[in-house]
Amino acid sequence: MPAVDFADIQGLARFGHGRLRAAEFLLLEVAAPDAARAWLRSAPLTTAQLRETPPQTALQVALTADGLRALGITEATVSRFPQPFLAGMAGEASRSRRLGDVGDNDPLNWQWGRPAPHVLLMLYAAEGGLDALMAELRDTNFDTGFRVMRRLPTGIARGIEPFGFVDGVSEPVIDWDQTFTTDLHRRLGYANMLAPGELLLGYPNEYQETAPAVLAEAAPGQRATDLARNGSFLVLRQLHQDVRGFWQYLDRVAGADPAQRDRLASLMVGRHRDGRGLIPDHENIPGGRSGNNFTYSGDVDGNVCPVGAHIRRANPRTGDHPAGVSGRWSWLMSTLGFRRRRDGLAGRHDLVASSRFHRLVRRGREYGSRLSVDEALLPGPDEERGILFVCLCADIVRQFEFVQEAWLYSARFDGLGGERDPLTGARTPLPDGTMTDHYSAPRLTGLPERLEGLPQFVTVRGGAYFFMPGIRALQFIAGA
Ligand code: HEM
């Protein structure tokens, strides 16, 4: 197995740069290819190497397929990248439908992303340090090479997303030393460890496979360069959050009772606002960290954490087998198809697949001004605030699109009927007209608690698929 080459990997794959609390993302068009390449060749990119003194600033670069073309990479080479990256996030109506980019989320309504930008430049600095970093950029020939299509400023990172919940609690731990087994027969339970190949191209993934190289044509007599190696796909989505709408709806259904309002909000997320899981830590998961040492195997029906809660949809944690399967005997019975099905939920068994093949490394930041719950309960305009959702993965379809489509957006997730993610879901009806604007939380006794008429709280404002190349690959691209 190749050792992970941190010096050739952009830092964002390993660090969230959380210490650098100020950040801005720039969406760029290549205005003059020669000048753009020259700038990229000398851009002080942050690598994934650990440094004794952590840097005061960080810079990361990612490119779309059009960006590669604009920088002079031949079509023969670009076409070796996977199809979803080439098609782009907003490039096909069928993809938009699958991702839930319909209705208000339709790319036709986006503020950016159509056409896709060429380059994403991510700037990070300590609080107050961003202007100096921008000024440094401007001192170089940056302005000649690129036109800034859009600036995406973020708020000062404090680890709380705009609805008011602590964010960034559950992150997979990358097994950089590649010592944790990925063997299906030896991984019987849920683990929070992830093979580097789930994040970076060029390393074995959870299937023990390595993604194909993307070989760039070389000059005669030279070895072809693998543009994929040490790179990751980067998904960026600007998700507007209607914070007033969220808290005012909950306040209404809670009869203006603050405790009840908070309880319903936590049932939607699956965590309390301070980040504690509805299911407290009670297991010792490999790679599990405080606040994250739990699975749903003791709560198969979702009596404690509803099956449809955001964090349960985003990572059902059932390991390699569905909820309720634990131990070798149960695993064998499940594998052979003898597992008993639960009443009324025939087929549920297959609906939640092994979560380790669908993990995401999240690197997003919130944007816009903050609003406390008390402020959100007062009337006022729906200002622009939300999350610049960023995730890194090695396979856009198997990871980001699967989570977004089959888990968050699906109205039939894990045997549920006609409801989507209560937090992020579009509320468009199903093709047969069934409404999807409700949310149900089972109760130990009696009928499930059911919230009706859920407004849509999150709207997509823009998005694109990028490739964050390794340092050598970027040098090749910049010298092409
Ligand atoms: C505005 C939109 C969103 C909001 C407000 C939001 C909020 C949250 C919150 C509060 C948590 C719990 C804290 C944590 O575990 O880090 C969380 C977890 C998570 N979210 Fe989101 N999220 C949003 C969009 C998305 C999207 C679009 C995806 C994926 C396509 C996603 C994937 C995840 C994942 C994978 C987790 C961790 C689940 C776990 O491992 O337990 N989120 N989110």
Side-chain angles (χ1 to χ4, degrees), residues 161-163 165-171 190 192 237 239-241 269 271 275 292 294 296 310-312 314-315 317 358-360 362 386-387 389 391 400 403-404 408 421 423-424 458:
E161 57 73 37
F163 291 142
F165 286 79
V166 169
D167 203 359
V169 184
S170 172
E171 277 295 320
Y190 173 74
N192 198 38
R237 262 160 102 76
L239 302 175
H240 165 79
Q241 291 175 245
V269 174
R271 289 190 182 274
N292 206 21
F294 62 88
Y296 303 111
H310 176 71
I311 66 160
R312 194 158 171 168
N315 176 15
R317 295 178 186 233
H358 311 286
R359 299 293 307 269
L360 304 173
R362 289 176 296 147
I387 288 183
F389 175 85
C391 75
F400 166 70
V403 173
Q404 174 65 33
L408 292 182
D421 181 18
L423 212 57
T424 68
V458 170

Side-chain angles (χ1 to χ4, degrees), residues 64 108 135 185 191 238 244 257 336 339 404 410 423 442 452 471:
T64 57
L108 289 173
H185 302 287
Q238 182 177 346
R244 286 186 205 278
D257 172 351
L336 296 177
R339 190 163 167 261
Q404 174 65 33
S410 168
L423 212 57
E452 302 283 355
I471 309 291

